[in-house]
Amino acid sequence: FLKRHTTLGGDGKGFVSARARKTIDLLLYDPGITYRMGTSGDSSGDSSGDSCWREKLVDAIDAVGEDNSSSFAFGKLFTPNYQPELHVEGVGSVRLPLGEEQANALLQVCEQAPFGHNMDTLVDTAVRDAFQVDPNAINLGDEWDSEVQGLAEQACTELGLDEDEEVAANLYKMVLYKEGGHFKPHRDTEKEKGMFGTFIIQLPTKYEGG
């Protein structure tokens, strides 16, 4: 599920950011793969063109009419015609749907998930109570990566983004929410130059409630 919103302030959080999250009180665990979506432009960190991007964004928003067919949010049920091969370092192959035994095994290689606040990275379970796995420890296979890029392109089309803009979805982390886990309403910070959205895939999990 992908949601887009605009930010016009120079607060270092990006000009077009997106966030998707489904809050579920799980009996077991809720794993999700998070990707950063961004353009293929310069990632050197040079902010000299920020004012130009801001002006272009304002012009683009002004040009959006009431008959615009794009949406501020997009989500869908995705059922691949193959079984995704999730492999996590320190755990091995992970069967899906995720069960309690392997969820507990994943927790052994997780760390408490932090969150960004202005220019700081904080850990506060009152704000975010979740666990994460580093992307370098995750392998989903080439076939899965190809599927993700296709889904990202579809999401961009549904959001009304420029079809000529080359967009890439880069694996950011895997997040697990235990029963009662949560993340208060927030706005994602820009993780790399050119990032404009967050694309989340919720993996199948055995749970009750929600």
Side-chain angles (χ1 to χ4, degrees), residues 125-143:
T125 56
V127 176
R128 184 181 195 183
D129 189 3
F131 299 86
Q132 67 182 34
V133 179
D134 188 274
N136 293 325
I138 304 169
N139 189 329
L140 287 158
D142 294 337
E143 191 171 10

Side-chain angles (χ1 to χ4, degrees), residues 7-58:
T7 303
L8 299 182
D11 55 5
K13 296 184 178 179
F15 303 117
V16 179
S17 59
R19 176 62 180 171
R21 190 176 68 82
K22 187 175 182 181
T23 302
I24 304 178
D25 292 326
L26 300 181
L27 177 64
L28 297 176
Y29 303 83
D30 172 21
I33 303 294
T34 305
Y35 292 82
R36 296 174 296 191
M37 295 179 64
T39 63
S40 58
D42 178 28
S43 59
S44 63
D46 178 14
S47 61
S48 60
D50 283 355
S51 60
C52 179
W53 275 105
R54 190 176 289 108
E55 293 172 2
K56 288 183 178 180
L57 178 60
V58 172

Side-chain angles (χ1 to χ4, degrees), residues 71-128:
S71 172
F72 75 95
F74 173 72
K76 63 176 292 185
L77 177 65
F78 170 58
T79 305
N81 55 12
Y82 62 93
Q83 181 69 24
E85 299 176 1
L86 175 59
H87 186 277
V88 179
E89 185 177 329
V91 177
S93 296
V94 177
R95 297 185 302 274
L96 298 174
L98 185 67
E100 185 173 13
E101 182 179 347
Q102 287 208 302
N104 286 326
L106 282 173
L107 279 176
Q108 300 306 309
V109 298
C110 283
E111 61 180 1
Q112 195 75 40
F115 61 94
H117 179 68
N118 295 326
M119 301 301 293
D120 299 322
T121 300
L122 308 174
V123 173
D124 183 351
T125 56
V127 176
R128 184 181 195 183

